[in-house]
Amino acid sequence: FIKREARSALDRLVERIKSDFLDTRVDRFLDRIVEDVVENRLPELQNGTEFTRLYKVNVLLEHAGEVCPTVIENTPTVINLLGSIDREPVPSGAVISDHTMIHAGSILRADGGYLILDARDVLTEPGAWKVLTRTLRTGRLEIIPPELSLSFAWGHSLKPEPIDVNVKVILLGDAETYYLLQEADPEFAQLFKVLADFDNVIPRTATGIEQYSAIIAKVAAEEKLPAFDRTAVAALIEHG
């Protein structure tokens, strides 16, 4: 009788939530919560034991109205790119993790927008290039990729399911790095199809000088600096 009444009460509550989320995965999640509470948690509920953390939703990503996010990752390690799972010691001496300890990386934060990386930084971080290109190729993000799952097994009891992502990556680097990647990685040309090559020389014409002056004024305004005197602008242009 108690189980029947508890299930009836919980079903009424979760139906309100289901009506806000037209996703079968949400329905399955809520149904499993009801089943677990009814079959396993009623004694704890009667004793006043707190167990709601088990069902807490961990929001990994919330753009909060941002239509096209742009993320600059200055330290593109595997963990910073993919995300991480915290570990927590318990009195027994073991180390545990749960779903509330999962954190998003820069690839997920840039979902639906742009991720800006320095090419040399990515190449010098062990494993970073491999996980980045695999994520772009498959369109699926694995917070713990297969090659790292064993090395983290002692501290992680979780392996989050892959997340579908749609992100455009902008690599910054010099021509030497570009051609090196083109030669070394057969997938590079397919994954990075657009080359924006910036010249390091501009013509010393009236138009060039006007544009140079406009950039100086723009930087000063953005950084809230005092306006440059015309002689300072002329000196910067001469130096450039």
Side-chain angles (χ1 to χ4, degrees):
F1 174 78
I2 294 177
K3 286 186 176 182
R4 185 171 66 251
E5 288 299 309
R7 190 184 300 276
S8 176
L10 288 170
D11 283 340
R12 288 195 298 271
L13 291 173
V14 300
E15 283 302 324
R16 300 176 192 171
I17 304 174
K18 287 181 180 180
S19 63
D20 293 331
F21 296 92
L22 302 178
D23 192 318
T24 57
R25 292 172 297 180
V26 175
D27 291 349
R28 290 197 300 270
F29 173 70
L30 293 172
D31 290 340
R32 289 171 182 170
I33 289 179
V34 172
E35 190 66 25
D36 186 56
V37 171
V38 171
E39 296 299 329
N40 304 313
R41 306 294 171 186
L42 289 182
E44 297 178 40
L45 188 62
Q46 293 170 339
N47 296 332
T49 304
E50 174 60 49
F51 57 85
T52 55
R53 177 186 174 92
L54 296 172
Y55 313 127
K56 182 180 179 182
V57 174
N58 179 14
V59 180
L60 290 181
L61 178 66
E62 183 179 8
H63 284 320
E66 187 177 16
V67 178
C68 185
T70 300
V71 176
I72 301 173
E73 180 55 75
N74 294 315
T75 311
T77 62
V78 170
I79 288 178
N80 285 350
L81 289 172
L82 299 183
S84 61
I85 302 178
D86 290 342
R87 301 186 294 268
E88 182 178 286
V90 293
S92 65
V95 179
I96 63 170
S97 298
D98 65 30
H99 68 286
T100 64
M101 301 179 185
I102 303 173
H103 303 284
S106 51
I107 293 177
L108 185 57
R109 294 199 308 274
D111 186 31
Y114 298 89
L115 175 61
I116 301 175
L117 303 167
D118 185 278
R120 287 186 180 271
D121 287 343
V122 179
L123 293 172
T124 54
E125 291 290 347
W129 180 256
K130 181 178 179 179
V131 299
L132 174 66
T133 54
R134 181 169 59 204
T135 302
L136 293 177
R137 184 181 70 250
T138 62
R140 307 196 82 196
L141 170 69
E142 296 179 273
I143 291 181
I144 298 183
E147 62 269 25
L148 295 183
S149 59
L150 291 178
S151 61
F152 283 98
W154 65 271
H156 294 290
S157 57
L158 303 177
K159 188 181 188 304
E161 65 182 54
I163 303 170
D164 293 333
V165 291
N166 178 22
V167 58
K168 292 179 173 61
V169 174
I170 299 173
L171 282 181
L172 306 178
D174 53 30
E176 180 184 355
T177 304
Y178 176 83
Y179 292 115
L180 175 65
L181 286 170
Q182 200 172 42
E183 286 290 326
D185 190 340
E187 294 182 328
F188 177 72
Q190 292 297 319
L191 295 175
F192 299 91
K193 298 178 181 179
V194 179
L195 170 63
D197 200 1
F198 293 90
D199 204 338
N200 57 2
V201 175
I202 61 172
R204 185 167 179 168
T205 62
T207 300
I209 292 172
E210 182 181 356
Q211 292 173 343
Y212 208 126
S213 303
I215 290 173
I216 294 172
K218 180 175 182 291
V219 172
E222 288 179 347
E223 299 297 328
K224 296 181 174 55
L225 302 173
F228 281 54
D229 182 78
R230 65 175 60 190
T231 57
V233 174
L236 283 171
I237 293 174
E238 181 68 28
H239 176 75

